[in-house]
Amino acid sequence: MPRNTRLEQLDLLPYIGKWLVLSFIVACLAGAASALFLHALDWATSTREANPALIWLLPIAGFIVGWCYLRMGRPVEAGNNLIIDEIHNPKKVIPLRMVPMVLGGTVISHLFGASVGREGTAVQMGGALADQLTHILRMRPEDRRIVLMAGIAAGFSSVFGTPLAGALFGLEVLAIGRMRYDALFPCVVAAIAADRIGVLLGIHHTHYAVLEVAPLGLVSVLSVVAAGILFGLIGMVFANSAHAVGAFMKRRVPYAPLRPFIGGAVIATAVWALDGYRYIGLGIPSIVQAFQQPVAPWDFAGKLLFTVASLGTGFKGGEVTPLFYIGATFGNALAPLLHLPFSMLAGLGFVAVFAGAANTPIATIVMAIELFGPEIAPFAAIACIAAYLFSGHSGIYHAQRVGHSKHRVVPEGMRISELGAYRKQLRQESMAANPGKQA
């Protein structure tokens, strides 16, 4: 039998060189796009805050964005789910029009007062720009998958300033309970480089300070477990509610531009009636406040309702920053009940609600360390894992697959969006096999 005397490490050198170059190109594209987006978002936010009456134009803004997507954006309307689907089952290159469509749609949503985030926009821009390399370089499907994952990592990293969490997010978000390590090196390089490029282009990220961390002990650990369970349930409620409102609107309002028009009218009226300006836009000042002092215990519910209404009726943006808001304010409200520091539970809620809603516990644990420091790491791990488990097989990304079920056995490879029909089928089969129980 012939022996291969060539060292494996020599074969890795071209691989490292190839992905260093490709990942840096992806990082330049995603980092520059995110910088442009964040500067535009700062302008939109400051303009809206200086002109509160703009909220009354939200229905018209929603109609215009909906009309543009109906006429020009149907191939890219699925957003993040389109990118995840293309990684799992490559079909065709993501149209470049995704970049201006989601960029313009998100900035308009923020300018007039929708409660949406920013990660979805950055991830879609990063993925769509990275996928254009497929045309130019005629990539194999396997290489294309890795480039798309690097685009996700670069977009996430550059918009939040968390390169290691961004790299892990690109690996972890595709499937529940499973990561693809063949893309680890490209995702890490793209995420780190994209973050640095964003900083060079003038991006400044908000600093969240956890002022006090409780001593690690039995009582504090049990309290954080309880908090993590609640964070996971809140993440599940958010994801299921957003999907339910979206499905309801599609059934009841066939003409797509009317959905954000109706949603915008409801949101604008609610903001005026409830003085709910703190629940629209990104809500960064409220998040910062949750780390510093007690906030209203219903703030998390207000943000959840406004965000579900915005995303469910078709406004463009992301879910993650609203989840940060919901988690931080909910953690703040739980702090006196669990006898833990406000800033500590705000920080844990910040990452753990996101962990439950996105099914990305590893990325969020690392994010907590990057944002708040290593002292919070043990508690962040407990809270994020508990939230991940108790959010069930639900999530904000419908195209996410089940790589390995959390507890109850669920078929591997199934999309989250298919789980409802699967469970319904199981119930019907169970009732057919046991007719006496139905009675």
Side-chain angles (χ1 to χ4, degrees), residues 222-256:
L222 292 177
S223 296
V224 170
V225 169
I229 292 171
L230 295 174
F231 292 146
L233 294 175
I234 289 292
M236 179 184 70
V237 168
F238 176 89
N240 291 342
S241 299
H243 294 317
V245 171
F248 174 83
M249 291 299 293
K250 287 178 181 178
R251 288 195 307 269
R252 297 290 184 178
V253 187
Y255 187 56

Short mmCIF file of all heavy atoms in Angstrom, two decimals, residues 222-256:
data_model
loop_
_atom_site.label_atom_id
_atom_site.label_comp_id
_atom_site.label_asym_id
_atom_site.label_seq_id
_atom_site.Cartn_x
_atom_site.Cartn_y
_atom_site.Cartn_z
N LEU A 222 -28.24 29.35 42.00
CA LEU A 222 -29.65 28.96 41.87
C LEU A 222 -30.51 30.14 41.41
O LEU A 222 -31.44 29.96 40.61
CB LEU A 222 -30.17 28.42 43.21
CG LEU A 222 -29.57 27.08 43.65
CD1 LEU A 222 -30.10 26.69 45.03
CD2 LEU A 222 -29.87 25.99 42.63
N SER A 223 -30.20 31.32 41.90
CA SER A 223 -30.94 32.51 41.46
C SER A 223 -30.74 32.77 39.97
O SER A 223 -31.68 33.11 39.25
CB SER A 223 -30.50 33.73 42.27
OG SER A 223 -30.81 33.57 43.64
N VAL A 224 -29.51 32.59 39.49
CA VAL A 224 -29.22 32.80 38.07
C VAL A 224 -29.87 31.71 37.22
O VAL A 224 -30.33 31.98 36.11
CB VAL A 224 -27.70 32.89 37.84
CG1 VAL A 224 -27.38 32.87 36.35
CG2 VAL A 224 -27.15 34.16 38.47
N VAL A 225 -29.93 30.48 37.74
CA VAL A 225 -30.65 29.42 37.01
C VAL A 225 -32.11 29.81 36.83
O VAL A 225 -32.68 29.69 35.74
CB VAL A 225 -30.54 28.07 37.74
CG1 VAL A 225 -31.49 27.05 37.13
CG2 VAL A 225 -29.11 27.55 37.68
N ALA A 226 -32.74 30.29 37.91
CA ALA A 226 -34.15 30.71 37.84
C ALA A 226 -34.31 31.86 36.84
O ALA A 226 -35.25 31.87 36.03
CB ALA A 226 -34.64 31.14 39.22
N ALA A 227 -33.39 32.82 36.89
CA ALA A 227 -33.45 33.93 35.95
C ALA A 227 -33.28 33.44 34.52
O ALA A 227 -33.98 33.88 33.61
CB ALA A 227 -32.38 34.97 36.29
N GLY A 228 -32.33 32.51 34.31
CA GLY A 228 -32.09 31.97 32.97
C GLY A 228 -33.31 31.28 32.39
O GLY A 228 -33.62 31.41 31.20
N ILE A 229 -34.03 30.55 33.24
CA ILE A 229 -35.27 29.89 32.79
C ILE A 229 -36.28 30.94 32.31
O ILE A 229 -36.89 30.80 31.25
CB ILE A 229 -35.86 29.04 33.93
CG1 ILE A 229 -34.94 27.83 34.21
CG2 ILE A 229 -37.27 28.57 33.58
CD1 ILE A 229 -35.33 27.06 35.46
N LEU A 230 -36.43 32.00 33.10
CA LEU A 230 -37.37 33.06 32.73
C LEU A 230 -36.91 33.79 31.47
O LEU A 230 -37.73 34.15 30.61
CB LEU A 230 -37.54 34.04 33.89
CG LEU A 230 -38.20 33.46 35.15
CD1 LEU A 230 -38.17 34.48 36.28
CD2 LEU A 230 -39.64 33.03 34.85
N PHE A 231 -35.61 34.02 31.35
CA PHE A 231 -35.09 34.65 30.13
C PHE A 231 -35.40 33.80 28.90
O PHE A 231 -35.76 34.32 27.84
CB PHE A 231 -33.57 34.86 30.25
CG PHE A 231 -33.15 35.87 31.28
CD1 PHE A 231 -31.97 35.70 32.00
CD2 PHE A 231 -33.92 37.00 31.53
CE1 PHE A 231 -31.57 36.63 32.95
CE2 PHE A 231 -33.53 37.95 32.48
CZ PHE A 231 -32.35 37.75 33.19
N GLY A 232 -35.25 32.48 29.04
CA GLY A 232 -35.55 31.60 27.92
C GLY A 232 -37.02 31.64 27.54
O GLY A 232 -37.36 31.64 26.35
N LEU A 233 -37.88 31.67 28.52
CA LEU A 233 -39.32 31.74 28.24
C LEU A 233 -39.69 33.05 27.55
O LEU A 233 -40.53 33.08 26.65
CB LEU A 233 -40.11 31.57 29.54
CG LEU A 233 -39.98 30.19 30.22
CD1 LEU A 233 -40.71 30.19 31.56
CD2 LEU A 233 -40.51 29.09 29.31
N ILE A 234 -39.06 34.15 27.98
CA ILE A 234 -39.31 35.44 27.34
C ILE A 234 -38.83 35.41 25.88
O ILE A 234 -39.51 35.90 24.97
CB ILE A 234 -38.61 36.58 28.10
CG1 ILE A 234 -39.30 36.82 29.44
CG2 ILE A 234 -38.58 37.86 27.28
CD1 ILE A 234 -40.69 37.39 29.32
N GLY A 235 -37.66 34.80 25.64
CA GLY A 235 -37.16 34.66 24.27
C GLY A 235 -38.11 33.85 23.41
O GLY A 235 -38.35 34.17 22.24
N MET A 236 -38.67 32.78 23.98
CA MET A 236 -39.63 31.95 23.26
C MET A 236 -40.90 32.73 22.95
O MET A 236 -41.42 32.67 21.82
CB MET A 236 -39.97 30.71 24.09
CG MET A 236 -40.98 29.78 23.44
SD MET A 236 -41.43 28.39 24.51
CE MET A 236 -42.37 29.26 25.78
N VAL A 237 -41.41 33.47 23.93
CA VAL A 237 -42.63 34.27 23.71
C VAL A 237 -42.39 35.30 22.61
O VAL A 237 -43.25 35.49 21.72
CB VAL A 237 -43.04 34.97 25.02
CG1 VAL A 237 -44.11 36.04 24.76
CG2 VAL A 237 -43.56 33.95 26.03
N PHE A 238 -41.24 35.94 22.63
CA PHE A 238 -40.93 36.93 21.59
C PHE A 238 -40.92 36.30 20.21
O PHE A 238 -41.56 36.80 19.27
CB PHE A 238 -39.56 37.57 21.87
CG PHE A 238 -39.12 38.54 20.82
CD1 PHE A 238 -39.45 39.87 20.91
CD2 PHE A 238 -38.36 38.12 19.73
CE1 PHE A 238 -39.05 40.78 19.93
CE2 PHE A 238 -37.96 39.00 18.75
CZ PHE A 238 -38.30 40.34 18.86
N ALA A 239 -40.18 35.20 20.05
CA ALA A 239 -40.06 34.56 18.73
C ALA A 239 -41.42 34.07 18.24
O ALA A 239 -41.81 34.32 17.09
CB ALA A 239 -39.07 33.41 18.81
N ASN A 240 -42.15 33.37 19.10
CA ASN A 240 -43.45 32.84 18.69
C ASN A 240 -44.45 33.94 18.37
O ASN A 240 -45.25 33.83 17.43
CB ASN A 240 -44.01 31.91 19.76
CG ASN A 240 -43.21 30.62 19.89
OD1 ASN A 240 -42.45 30.25 18.99
ND2 ASN A 240 -43.37 29.92 21.00
N SER A 241 -44.42 35.00 19.15
CA SER A 241 -45.36 36.11 18.93
C SER A 241 -45.08 36.81 17.61
O SER A 241 -46.00 37.14 16.86
CB SER A 241 -45.29 37.11 20.09
OG SER A 241 -45.63 36.50 21.31
N ALA A 242 -43.79 37.07 17.33
CA ALA A 242 -43.44 37.75 16.07
C ALA A 242 -43.87 36.91 14.87
O ALA A 242 -44.43 37.44 13.89
CB ALA A 242 -41.94 38.02 16.03
N HIS A 243 -43.63 35.60 14.93
CA HIS A 243 -44.04 34.73 13.82
C HIS A 243 -45.56 34.67 13.71
O HIS A 243 -46.11 34.66 12.61
CB HIS A 243 -43.47 33.33 14.02
CG HIS A 243 -41.97 33.27 13.93
ND1 HIS A 243 -41.26 33.95 12.97
CD2 HIS A 243 -41.05 32.60 14.67
CE1 HIS A 243 -39.97 33.71 13.12
NE2 HIS A 243 -39.81 32.90 14.15
N ALA A 244 -46.25 34.62 14.86
CA ALA A 244 -47.71 34.51 14.84
C ALA A 244 -48.34 35.77 14.25
O ALA A 244 -49.28 35.69 13.45
CB ALA A 244 -48.23 34.26 16.25
N VAL A 245 -47.84 36.95 14.64
CA VAL A 245 -48.38 38.20 14.11
C VAL A 245 -48.10 38.29 12.61
O VAL A 245 -48.97 38.69 11.82
CB VAL A 245 -47.78 39.41 14.85
CG1 VAL A 245 -48.17 40.72 14.15
CG2 VAL A 245 -48.26 39.44 16.30
N GLY A 246 -46.90 37.90 12.20
CA GLY A 246 -46.57 37.91 10.78
C GLY A 246 -47.48 37.00 9.98
O GLY A 246 -47.99 37.38 8.91
N ALA A 247 -47.73 35.78 10.48
CA ALA A 247 -48.61 34.84 9.77
C ALA A 247 -50.04 35.36 9.75
O ALA A 247 -50.74 35.24 8.72
CB ALA A 247 -48.55 33.47 10.45
N PHE A 248 -50.51 35.94 10.85
CA PHE A 248 -51.87 36.49 10.91
C PHE A 248 -52.05 37.60 9.88
O PHE A 248 -53.05 37.65 9.16
CB PHE A 248 -52.15 37.00 12.32
CG PHE A 248 -53.47 37.70 12.46
CD1 PHE A 248 -54.63 36.98 12.64
CD2 PHE A 248 -53.54 39.10 12.39
CE1 PHE A 248 -55.85 37.64 12.77
CE2 PHE A 248 -54.76 39.75 12.51
CZ PHE A 248 -55.92 39.03 12.70
N MET A 249 -51.08 38.50 9.81
CA MET A 249 -51.19 39.62 8.88
C MET A 249 -51.17 39.14 7.43
O MET A 249 -51.90 39.69 6.58
CB MET A 249 -50.05 40.61 9.12
CG MET A 249 -50.15 41.36 10.43
SD MET A 249 -51.65 42.37 10.59
CE MET A 249 -51.35 43.63 9.34
N LYS A 250 -50.39 38.13 7.13
CA LYS A 250 -50.35 37.61 5.76
C LYS A 250 -51.67 36.96 5.37
O LYS A 250 -52.10 37.05 4.22
CB LYS A 250 -49.20 36.62 5.61
CG LYS A 250 -47.82 37.28 5.60
CD LYS A 250 -46.70 36.27 5.50
CE LYS A 250 -45.35 36.97 5.51
NZ LYS A 250 -44.23 36.01 5.48
N ARG A 251 -52.32 36.32 6.35
CA ARG A 251 -53.62 35.71 6.06
C ARG A 251 -54.71 36.76 5.88
O ARG A 251 -55.55 36.66 4.99
CB ARG A 251 -54.03 34.75 7.18
CG ARG A 251 -53.25 33.46 7.24
CD ARG A 251 -53.96 32.45 8.14
NE ARG A 251 -54.27 32.98 9.46
CZ ARG A 251 -53.47 32.89 10.51
NH1 ARG A 251 -52.29 32.29 10.40
NH2 ARG A 251 -53.84 33.39 11.68
N ARG A 252 -54.69 37.78 6.73
CA ARG A 252 -55.79 38.75 6.76
C ARG A 252 -55.60 39.91 5.77
O ARG A 252 -56.59 40.53 5.37
CB ARG A 252 -55.93 39.32 8.18
CG ARG A 252 -56.30 38.28 9.22
CD ARG A 252 -57.72 37.80 9.02
NE ARG A 252 -58.14 36.88 10.08
CZ ARG A 252 -59.34 36.35 10.17
NH1 ARG A 252 -60.26 36.67 9.28
NH2 ARG A 252 -59.63 35.50 11.15
N VAL A 253 -54.35 40.22 5.46
CA VAL A 253 -54.07 41.37 4.58
C VAL A 253 -53.22 40.88 3.41
O VAL A 253 -51.99 40.90 3.47
CB VAL A 253 -53.34 42.49 5.35
CG1 VAL A 253 -53.21 43.74 4.47
CG2 VAL A 253 -54.06 42.83 6.64
N PRO A 254 -53.86 40.44 2.32
CA PRO A 254 -53.10 39.88 1.20
C PRO A 254 -52.15 40.88 0.53
O PRO A 254 -51.08 40.48 0.04
CB PRO A 254 -54.19 39.42 0.22
CG PRO A 254 -55.43 39.32 1.05
CD PRO A 254 -55.30 40.35 2.12
N TYR A 255 -52.53 42.15 0.48
CA TYR A 255 -51.69 43.15 -0.20
C TYR A 255 -50.57 43.58 0.74
O TYR A 255 -50.81 44.26 1.75
CB TYR A 255 -52.54 44.34 -0.62
CG TYR A 255 -51.80 45.34 -1.48
CD1 TYR A 255 -51.18 44.96 -2.66
CD2 TYR A 255 -51.75 46.68 -1.10
CE1 TYR A 255 -50.51 45.89 -3.44
CE2 TYR A 255 -51.08 47.61 -1.88
CZ TYR A 255 -50.46 47.20 -3.05
OH TYR A 255 -49.79 48.12 -3.82
N ALA A 256 -49.34 43.19 0.43
CA ALA A 256 -48.22 43.34 1.35
C ALA A 256 -47.99 44.77 1.85
O ALA A 256 -47.75 44.97 3.05
CB ALA A 256 -46.94 42.79 0.70
#
